[in-house]
Amino acid sequence: QVQLVESGGGLVQAGGSLRLSCAASGRTFSSYAMGWFHQAPGKEREFVAFITWNGGSTYYADSVKGRFTISRDNAKNTVYLQMNSPKPEDTAVYYCAAENTVVAGTAVWEYDYWGQGTQVTVSS
């Protein structure tokens, strides 16, 4: 069982920066691939980025590639999403998720555990 708690959301100006954190409970965090998703009002939850269990590989949605960076610190049981140059269309609730595998996927159904989400609002 893994419990995930996101933090770091808030209001940010377009072109600024924001870092989201996701703290995980459990001793097996390092065996999970981790992902970030977002969900805007009235829209489906969408993939943003994932990172493999050891941080060796990352993958991003085209919409955030070059602007967002996912990373993890297994010693702290934490995964991060650095959001640089956010745009108003990035406004959404951001969720972190854990998948019990070494390589994560991009589909919601692939993930086993989810956090409660943190709101990010990007003003123009």
Side-chain angles (χ1 to χ4, degrees), residues 92-114:
V93 177
Y94 282 73
Y95 299 90
C96 71
E99 183 177 358
N100 192 8
T101 182
V102 295
V103 180
T106 62
V108 169
W109 61 265
E110 296 182 84
Y111 288 79
D112 303 298
Y113 303 101
W114 292 84

Side-chain angles (χ1 to χ4, degrees), residues 11-17 84-90 121-124:
L11 177 64
V12 61
Q13 283 192 328
S17 64
N84 293 333
S85 300
K87 303 175 182 179
E89 51 263 44
D90 296 322
T121 302
V122 183
S123 63
S124 58

Side-chain angles (χ1 to χ4, degrees), residues 29-47:
F29 172 75
S30 60
S31 65
Y32 285 79
M34 299 296 297
W36 284 97
F37 288 73
H38 67 197
Q39 187 167 18
K43 295 188 177 181
E44 294 186 350
R45 194 168 297 189
E46 297 179 336
F47 168 77

